[in-house]
Each structure stands twice: as structure tokens, then as C-alpha cells.
Amino acid sequence: MKIPFLDLKLVNTPLFPEISEAFERVSASGWYILGPEVKAFETLFADYCESNFCVGTANGLDAIHLILKCFEFPEGSEIIVPANTYFATILAVIQAGYRPVFVEPLLSTYLIDPDKIEENITSSTRAVLVTELYGKSCELTSIKALCKKYHLKLISDSAQSHGALYKNQKSAGLVDAAAFSFYPTKNLGALGDGGAVVTNDRALANRIAERRNYGSSQKYHFAQKGLNSRLDELQAAILSLKLSRLDEENAKRRSIAKRYLTHINNPKIVLPPADTILEDAWHLFVVRTENREHFRKYLENAGIQSDIHYPIPPHQQKALEEFSYLTLPITEKIHLEVTSIPLNTYLSHEEINYIIVTLNQY
Ligand SMILES: *Cc1c(COP(=O)(O)O)cnc(C)c1O
């Protein structure tokens, strides 16, 4: 059996008739950037996230950047970030003119360790930026309490967690602002780039809506030094139709995750946490093994394609040489040991069984 890690064509094929319809509608409208389709998607997505406002952006990186910029923290402010995250989380902080303060994750969840946040707060700290890595929401109760105590904003990089719940509520609606990416591989993916900010803060939403459009809300008047980071009409139309399928697709992801967690029982393979199977968005199913190269070779020989999220932590990237002095052993261990196995919306019952049997025989 041959199982690719993710085949985006198979993800979108069932939607081709609806996508063509959206394409014709937008083509014929003559309005291609920031129009009625973007507005309609923003309303739908804010509702979906149980939040008041949504502002579409060109991508997820800009969504994080725009949140940070539009909170208008003083230059050089410290932002608490997870050391174990995708490079974009950190890059957004630096590009906004702030200093990332790296906090180690829990090995059991891969998410920022809530008990290590407080010791990293200084008089320059202005926000805690968490990442809902792999689709799992963070310990929001304790993190929110800390943010309240120290008057910090709580921001979420939710690029991997469309639809994730925390105690039965959408996690994105529980933070001061959440950033989403609609990169094609994400749980809600466009046919190109896209992103959004979701927030209950009206003033923040207005500043971001202005700043994504060069800093202009009145034609040829520029109130901020902004970005060109607009969501286009065609992607918005496609996202609206795909949003109506998201709950069903996340339910499928959860049921696959549940089967993996129930039936994979090999002491050589560390499974992801199973405490919130029905709340997580299961963007990725990530396991750990001591000898990753050997494990991935074994999977490859069995026809199962795997991937690594991620092989090199941000503080060890060439671009972030100024942080190369840091020693973050938990983050570094995770980056050496993780492998992502296929989990997507079109996997068949047989393919899932084959993956389970193959992992159990390792
Ligand atoms: C995908 C992703 C981003 C960046 O999104 P883009 O749309 O590619 O800019 C940021 N953070 C995380 C955790 C991601 O997975």
C-alpha cells in the first residue's frame, strides 16, 4: 500500500463543482480585492470562532504581525513565546520590533509550559503569544489568569487549530486576539495564501483592517505605516464554502486520531496526548521515537510517507543567530524525535488500519 502524507488534490476534488461556481461568480463580479466576498467570509468566520470580529489578511504570518503591531506596544517590548513553534511565530514578533522571550514546552503536550511563563515576565513584557501547535489548545485558564495579573495581552497563533475547543468553547474566542493561516495544507485551507485575525476587541479590529491596507481606511489617506496584506475575493469565496465543511472534516480528523490513540500500542512509539481528543483540531498527528531516521526509513519501506514538524527549532535557525546561545533541552529533544504520520480527511478505513498495523509491528 502507498499512502502519501497529504495529497491536496484529493482534499479539494470533492469541492470542484462548488469552487468553479465561486470562481465564475467572482470573475463576473469585477471586484477582486476586499469586497463583498471578504466581508461575508469575515462575518462567517467570526461567528464560527465565537468571536465578534474577523479581519482577513494575506497570510498567517501577517495576521500575527498585525495583531502585535496594532496593540501598539512600545518598541523593544518583550513578548513571551513558545520555544517549540513554527518559525513564523517568532519572525512575526521580531518583524514587529519586539523581543521574543522563549519559554520551554511540556514534553507531554508540546505546548508552552504554563508554569514557566511567570518566571519569564519582566517589567518590559507586554504579551503572551501561545501557539496551538498541531491543533491543540493551550491551558487557557491558568495562562489567562497570569495575563490578567500582569496586565498582558494574550495572543494565539491559531494557524494549526481552526475549530479547536477549550472546555467546550472555541479557543480563538477566548483570547485577546487569534491569528489564523489558510495556507492550503491547514484544516481550513485556501487555493492560495490567506489569513485572518479574530478578536472581540473592536478598536483592535479597526486598526488591523486599516493597517492591512497600507494603513488606509479612507482612499489616499494613510493613518498608519501599514502593510499590503489583503485577502482576495476569490480565496474568501472558496474559504466560505470550505468553512461549511470544517466541522465535518474536524470530526473525521478526531475519529482517526481516536483510532490511532486506541490501537497503536508500541512501547517504542510515544503517542500524542489523548486527554482532549474531541476538542483538538488534529492538524497533525505527531509521534516520537528514539531513532527517528530508522523509524522514518521503516515507514518509507512500508509505503507510508511521513513528515517532520519541525526538524530545526527557531532558536537554532541561521536567521536567528542572536538566539543561538540559548539552551532549550525540551524543545531540542522534541525537534530531534518527532515524526508526523498521515492524518487527513480522505484516509480510508483500510489505510488507517494499515498505518496502525505497520506502527505496531515496528
Ligand atoms: C502555517 C503557520 C504559520 C504561517 O502561516 P502562513 O499563512 O504560511 O504565513 C504560522 N504559525 C504556524 C504555527 C503555522 O503552522
Side-chain angles (χ1 to χ4, degrees), residues 79-271:
I79 311 294
I80 304 261
V81 294
N84 186 47
T85 185
Y86 179 56
F87 180 68
T89 321
I90 312 300
L91 184 62
V93 172
I94 295 170
Q95 286 183 341
Y98 308 132
R99 279 181 12 90
V101 174
F102 295 80
V103 173
E104 283 269 63
L106 281 167
L107 188 58
S108 56
T109 63
Y110 308 123
L111 305 175
I112 194 165
D113 183 343
D115 295 332
K116 290 193 181 140
I117 293 175
E118 192 163 16
E119 65 201 52
N120 283 285
I121 294 172
T122 73
S123 57
S124 302
T125 309
R126 291 292 173 272
V128 176
L129 168 54
V130 299
T131 301
E132 299 181 311
L133 199 67
Y134 309 149
K136 187 177 176 61
S137 61
C138 298
E139 244 332 305
L140 292 181
T141 305
S142 59
I143 298 174
K144 276 177 80 134
L146 265 183
C147 287
K148 187 155 182 239
K149 178 171 167 194
Y150 291 95
H151 307 289
L152 309 176
K153 296 294 181 190
L154 176 54
I155 303 167
S156 176
D157 177 345
S158 300
Q160 301 189 355
S161 56
H162 315 72
L165 300 170
Y166 180 76
K167 299 193 197 297
N168 276 322
Q169 286 177 275
K170 294 275 166 51
S171 58
L174 298 172
V175 294
D176 292 306
F180 287 90
S181 163
F182 306 119
Y183 186 75
T185 59
K186 310 289 187 185
N187 286 28
L188 179 59
L191 265 57
D193 274 312
V197 172
V198 163
T199 181
N200 287 315
D201 180 336
R202 182 191 297 272
L204 180 77
N206 288 340
R207 274 197 299 281
I208 292 174
E210 184 175 83
R211 200 174 181 94
R212 73 170 165 185
N213 186 30
Y214 285 107
S216 171
S217 37
Q218 189 192 347
K219 203 170 180 182
Y220 303 133
H221 292 255
F222 301 93
Q224 303 182 63
K225 298 186 197 78
L227 303 179
N228 175 352
S229 182
R230 301 175 293 221
L231 183 63
D232 69 73
E233 288 284 283
L234 186 56
Q235 297 309 330
I238 292 167
L239 288 166
S240 291
L241 72 89
K242 290 186 79 171
L243 181 59
S244 64
R245 303 285 225 295
L246 181 58
D247 279 340
E248 196 185 308
E249 294 187 345
N250 277 349
K252 170 121 206 239
R253 288 177 182 275
R254 286 165 181 147
S255 83
I256 297 170
K258 189 165 179 201
R259 281 178 64 196
Y260 285 165
L261 287 164
T262 312
H263 298 293
I264 299 172
N265 42 32
N266 181 336
K268 294 202 223 48
I269 298 171
V270 181
L271 297 174

